[in-house]
Amino acid sequence: MVSLNIANLANGCQKSIDIDDDLKLRAFYDKQISNEVPGDSLGDEFKGYVFRITGGNDKQGFPMKQGVLHASRVRLLLSQGHSCYRPRRSGERRRKSVRGCIVGPDLSVISLVIVKQGEADIPGLTDGSVPKRLGPKRANNIRKLFNLSKEDDVRKFVIRREVVPKKEGKKPYTKAPKIQRLVTPRTLMHKRRLTTLKKRQQERSKEAASEYAKLLAKRQKEHREQKEELRRRRSSASRTSVSKK
């Protein structure tokens, strides 16, 4: 038995279908992740549908990995940035077992996404819609969602969600995300302060460099004068010793 996890990205619905007949699944065999497969072989209710394979798991629970052109399980040395692996420490690498990206009869779960909708609606998948639990958080994304200009106040358009407390007797309340990259008078003032501090630091460093250059020149001059004085003393001492002889 193979479970097909079908997701409809248009409305956010998802449904799992168990299929026992291998003849219905024959259209998926030897296909790779990201390939598109017509759903006519699954039954009349899927007539006209086109699915894209997004992943899956074999009967032992090992996930399929894109780019591994095998219909079996392999062991790969994975590091940070690879799929099917989450490093616990920075720089960690580990050899993990993953399933290849080619669909075969040893899979227990195949993940699909609807690319093209067919003639009939599938109950629980295409006949409803699941609203998004959370709205956008970044200021520009909120402006894009509500078609706002830069003069409009973004804080008035944040999508709030209602939270029902678990304890009885308490009233429900709403929560809203903290808007990211929001330009306010406080942030502008903070930016101006940082720029003034930077300029002051640059002026201080220039003054310190000029003072150091003056001090260095003074010390070098004193050192040259001392050397000249020492040379004069030696030359005068040598002249007096020659005259005594």
Side-chain angles (χ1 to χ4, degrees):
M1 184 178 69
V2 178
S3 295
L4 298 180
N5 288 340
I6 305 172
N8 190 359
L9 302 181
N11 57 12
C13 293
Q14 191 172 348
K15 190 175 183 180
S16 182
I17 300 168
D18 295 333
I19 295 177
D20 296 328
D21 192 2
D22 290 339
L23 293 174
K24 293 182 178 181
L25 298 170
R26 190 172 289 176
F28 294 91
Y29 290 164
D30 297 330
K31 294 288 193 299
Q32 299 178 18
I33 292 177
S34 75
N35 284 0
E36 295 183 0
V37 182
D40 299 336
S41 62
L42 298 177
D44 295 333
E45 56 179 333
F46 296 99
K47 191 173 183 182
Y49 280 84
V50 177
F51 301 109
R52 185 174 69 246
I53 302 171
T54 57
N57 296 79
D58 62 3
K59 289 184 170 64
Q60 285 74 35
F62 291 94
M64 296 175 70
K65 182 172 172 58
Q66 176 68 295
V68 183
L69 300 177
H70 283 274
S72 59
R73 202 182 306 159
V74 294
R75 284 177 64 81
L76 300 176
L77 187 64
L78 304 177
S79 60
Q80 186 176 7
H82 290 107
S83 59
C84 308
Y85 176 63
R86 181 172 62 88
R88 268 62 175 181
R89 298 172 64 183
S90 62
E92 183 185 23
R93 296 191 302 168
R94 186 165 291 185
R95 197 168 292 279
K96 303 278 286 183
S97 293
V98 292
R99 174 61 168 72
C101 67
I102 300 173
V103 179
D106 61 328
L107 295 180
S108 63
V109 178
I110 301 174
S111 300
L112 306 173
V113 166
I114 294 177
V115 176
K116 180 184 175 185
Q117 191 168 336
E119 302 168 358
D121 284 335
I122 301 171
L125 191 60
T126 58
D127 56 351
S129 64
V130 178
K132 284 188 176 180
R133 179 175 163 270
L134 301 174
K137 191 175 182 182
R138 195 181 295 175
N140 280 339
N141 291 341
I142 297 171
R143 289 191 187 99
K144 193 185 293 182
L145 180 65
F146 293 102
N147 197 16
L148 304 176
S149 63
K150 291 205 171 181
E151 289 75 22
D152 296 324
D153 191 3
V154 180
R155 291 170 289 188
K156 296 178 182 177
F157 294 89
V158 181
I159 297 174
R160 306 185 70 89
R161 63 184 180 91
E162 187 174 336
V163 179
V164 180
K166 294 180 180 179
K167 292 185 179 180
E168 295 181 358
K170 287 195 174 183
K171 293 182 180 179
Y173 58 93
T174 59
K175 288 180 76 174
K178 182 183 177 183
I179 302 172
Q180 302 295 315
R181 302 186 189 180
L182 179 65
V183 180
T184 58
R186 186 182 176 187
T187 57
L188 292 173
M189 184 180 67
H190 185 62
K191 191 175 180 181
R192 285 196 300 270
R193 181 175 172 273
L194 288 176
T195 52
T196 52
L197 290 174
K198 207 174 191 181
K199 286 179 181 177
R200 284 179 196 167
Q201 184 63 32
Q202 287 175 353
E203 290 171 1
R204 279 198 218 103
S205 63
K206 283 181 182 177
E207 290 174 3
S210 64
E211 288 176 4
Y212 174 75
K214 289 177 184 176
L215 184 63
L216 185 65
K218 183 181 176 184
R219 294 281 168 84
Q220 286 175 348
K221 186 179 179 182
E222 291 175 355
H223 186 64
R224 281 197 301 271
E225 289 175 355
Q226 287 176 0
K227 285 178 78 174
E228 287 290 331
E229 184 68 24
L230 186 63
R231 196 179 295 121
R232 275 193 232 105
R233 285 178 186 174
R234 284 177 181 171
S235 62
S236 63
S238 62
R239 278 196 218 102
T240 54
S241 63
V242 169
S243 62
K244 282 179 182 180
K245 288 178 181 179

